[in-house]
Amino acid sequence: MVFIPIIILVAIVAILIFYNININNKLNTYSNISKKINNLNVLQDFMNITGEDIPVDEKLERINEVLIEKFGIKYSTIVVFNGAEYVLKASNTEKKYWRNLTNLHTQDIFKDSINTAEPKYITVNQEGEQLPYQQLDFSRAKSAMFFPLYIDNVYIGYWIIESSVMHAFDNVDTTLLEVIKDDIVAMIKTVSYQNAMESIVRTDQFTGLNSAEYLYGQAKATIDSAPTSTVCMFKINNIEMINKKYSRETGNSTIIEIANWVKTSINSDDIFVRYMGPKFVIVFVGKSQDDIIDIIKNLREELEELEIQYERYNEKKTSKKIEYAKPKVNFVISNYYKGTGIERVTEKLEEYLDNADKEEHNISFV
C-alpha cells in the first residue's frame, strides 16, 4: 500500500514535467512566430519607406531608425561607397564620430571581413579596453558587429552595429542580422536609381531654374502632396527665328526674360523648371485646369507682349537701329494624378509641342 502514493506522486511529477515541456515548446513556437511576424513587419516598413516620395538619404535614415527601434540596437551606421569616397548615409551616433566611422574599411580588423564578405564580431573583455577602430569614442562602444555590403558581388560599403555593453552580441541571432543586412542592400539597390536621378539635377545657367530631372526626384514629394495637379508645358516657337534674324544672344535674352516673367506670375508653391531648350514646365500643385486657365491665358498674352531689344548696326558700324524681338509661345496642358509617372505626362506634352505647327501659339489640352 505504501507504493501506491509513491506511484501516484511519480505519475503527477511525470505529468507536470510533460506539461512543462509542452508549455515550453508552445512558448518557443509562439516566440518564433512572433519573431517572424516582427521580421515581416520590419520588411513591410522597409517597403513602405522605399515607396515614399522623399529624398534617398532620408529613406536610408528612416530605415536605420526602424532597425534601431525594432531590434533595440544601441548604435547603427550605414556607410556607402559612391565610387569616389565613403559616405555616411545614416547613423544615430554623434557627428564627431562620423569621420572615424567612414574610415572603417582601412582598419585591419575589418579588411578580412570585406574580402570574404563575412560579418566580423569584436568585443572588449574588461573595462579599460577599447575596440581597435576607436579613436575618440573609447567608452561609447564596447562591442560591435561589422557587415560588408555587396550588390551582385560588388562591394558597396558596410553596416555596423555597436553596443555600450561588453559581449552584447554573443548570443545574437546572426541569421536574423544577415537577413536584415540583405534587406539593407536591397533598399540601397532600389533607391540607387532615385539617387542617380537626384544627382543629375542641374541649375540652368541662364534662367537659374532647375532642370527637368528635378520634377522626377526632389519635387515629386511636393507634387504628390495633392491628389491631382495640372502640368503645363510651353515652348517658345520662334526661338530659332529670333536666333537667326537677330542673334543668339538675343535668343538667350528672350529665354531669360520669359523665365523671369513667369517666376513673378505664379505662386511660390507652384513648380517651374526649364525642361529643355525653349521648353518650360509649370506644375500647378493641387490645382485643376479650371483653376489655372485664366492664369495661363494672361500669362500667354503677357509673354507675347514682351519686347527684347536688339541693336542693329550698319555695315560701317557708324549708326545703329533699335529693333525688338517678340516671342511666340505655345502652351499645352494636362492632368497629373498622385502616384503615377509624371515623366509620362511631360513626354506626352513634349510630343504635342514638337509635332505642332511652328506658327501655332495657343493653349491646348491633351
Side-chain angles (χ1 to χ4, degrees):
M1 297 296 292
V2 176
F3 293 102
I4 294 176
I6 296 176
I7 295 173
I8 293 173
L9 287 173
V10 170
I12 292 172
V13 170
I15 291 171
L16 289 174
I17 291 173
F18 177 78
Y19 177 78
N20 286 335
I21 292 173
N22 187 45
I23 291 296
N24 187 60
N25 289 336
K26 287 183 178 181
L27 288 173
N28 288 333
T29 300
Y30 291 142
S31 177
N32 290 333
I33 292 173
S34 177
K35 287 181 180 179
K36 290 179 180 179
I37 292 174
N38 186 50
N39 293 343
L40 288 174
N41 289 337
V42 171
L43 182 57
Q44 183 62 53
D45 288 340
F46 281 7
M47 294 174 65
N48 291 340
I49 293 169
T50 304
E52 290 183 19
D53 289 316
I54 56 178
V56 168
D57 288 347
E58 188 175 340
K59 287 183 179 182
L60 291 175
E61 289 172 0
R62 293 275 299 279
I63 287 170
N64 203 46
E65 290 170 1
V66 170
L67 295 174
I68 294 165
E69 177 186 353
K70 299 291 186 180
F71 298 102
I73 297 171
K74 180 67 174 177
Y75 302 110
S76 176
T77 301
I78 299 171
V79 175
V80 175
F81 181 64
N82 66 6
E85 60 182 344
Y86 285 80
V87 180
L88 189 145
K89 291 294 185 180
S91 181
N92 64 325
T93 62
E94 294 180 52
K95 285 189 177 181
K96 64 182 180 180
Y97 303 130
W98 288 6
R99 185 173 181 179
N100 185 38
L101 288 170
T102 55
N103 286 307
L104 298 186
H105 59 285
T106 64
Q107 298 289 327
D108 291 337
I109 192 72
F110 297 128
K111 286 182 178 179
D112 285 343
S113 176
I114 294 171
N115 292 333
T116 61
E118 295 292 331
K120 179 72 174 183
Y121 173 38
I122 55 177
T123 185
V124 299
N125 293 309
Q126 58 186 12
E127 294 295 338
E129 290 184 6
Q130 67 183 68
L131 296 177
Y133 66 88
Q134 290 181 313
Q135 294 178 359
L136 301 173
D137 49 349
F138 300 145
S139 61
R140 181 180 63 84
K142 297 185 181 301
S143 53
M145 288 200 75
F146 177 92
F147 297 87
L149 305 177
Y150 281 80
I151 293 179
D152 300 329
N153 296 320
V154 176
Y155 170 67
I156 54 101
Y158 48 85
W159 171 45
I160 183 169
I161 58 175
E162 302 169 290
S163 173
S164 56
V165 178
M166 292 185 289
H167 296 276
F169 305 118
D170 285 3
N171 299 314
V172 74
D173 185 352
T174 55
T175 303
L176 174 59
L177 291 177
E178 284 287 344
V179 171
I180 297 172
K181 181 205 71 174
D182 292 340
D183 289 340
I184 292 173
V185 170
M187 295 305 104
I188 293 174
K189 186 174 182 180
T190 300
V191 300
S192 65
Y193 301 108
Q194 179 185 344
N195 187 53
M197 182 61 68
E198 291 178 359
S199 65
I200 63 176
V201 173
R202 64 191 186 283
T203 301
D204 177 56
Q205 61 178 335
F206 292 115
T207 64
L209 298 173
N210 287 315
S211 61
E213 291 79 14
Y214 178 73
L215 295 175
Y216 318 133
Q218 293 98 314
K220 193 67 162 54
T222 302
I223 297 170
D224 279 355
S225 65
T228 60
S229 297
T230 301
V231 182
C232 170
M233 181 181 292
F234 67 89
K235 178 182 180 181
I236 309 171
N237 264 8
N238 62 338
I239 193 68
E240 292 179 3
M241 182 277 290
I242 292 173
N243 288 338
K244 185 176 181 180
K245 182 178 179 179
Y246 300 101
S247 67
R248 183 164 292 277
E249 289 75 16
T250 306
N252 291 339
S253 295
T254 301
I255 289 172
I256 293 169
E257 287 291 328
I258 284 180
N260 289 338
W261 190 274
V262 175
K263 287 177 188 177
T264 61
S265 302
I266 61 176
N267 294 330
S268 59
D269 56 348
D270 298 323
I271 297 170
F272 181 38
V273 302
R274 185 175 182 185
Y275 185 76
M276 184 181 297
K279 303 187 195 82
F280 297 82
V281 170
I282 310 170
V283 180
F284 295 93
V285 180
K287 299 181 179 72
S288 68
Q289 293 183 6
D290 291 338
D291 294 331
I292 58 94
I293 186 60
D294 289 337
I295 296 173
I296 296 300
K297 286 179 179 179
N298 293 333
L299 185 58
R300 186 183 71 84
E301 292 176 2
E302 292 166 352
L303 293 180
E304 295 197 341
E305 289 176 359
L306 291 176
E307 294 182 330
I308 314 303
Q309 182 174 302
Y310 172 72
E311 298 178 348
R312 189 182 297 280
Y313 289 85
N314 62 9
E315 291 183 0
K316 294 182 180 181
K317 295 186 177 181
T318 57
S319 64
K320 65 181 179 181
K321 178 183 179 182
I322 303 298
E323 298 181 10
Y324 295 94
K326 300 191 70 172
K328 295 295 182 183
V329 188
N330 202 16
F331 282 81
V332 62
I333 298 170
S334 185
N335 292 323
Y336 167 75
Y337 300 94
K338 177 179 179 178
T340 60
I342 193 170
E343 68 278 5
R344 301 295 179 228
V345 177
T346 54
E347 286 172 5
K348 179 175 64 174
L349 299 179
E350 182 180 27
E351 182 180 3
Y352 177 89
L353 290 176
D354 286 345
N355 293 327
D357 191 295
K358 288 188 176 182
E359 297 301 317
E360 179 181 320
H361 50 108
N362 299 318
I363 300 172
S364 305
F365 300 87
V366 297

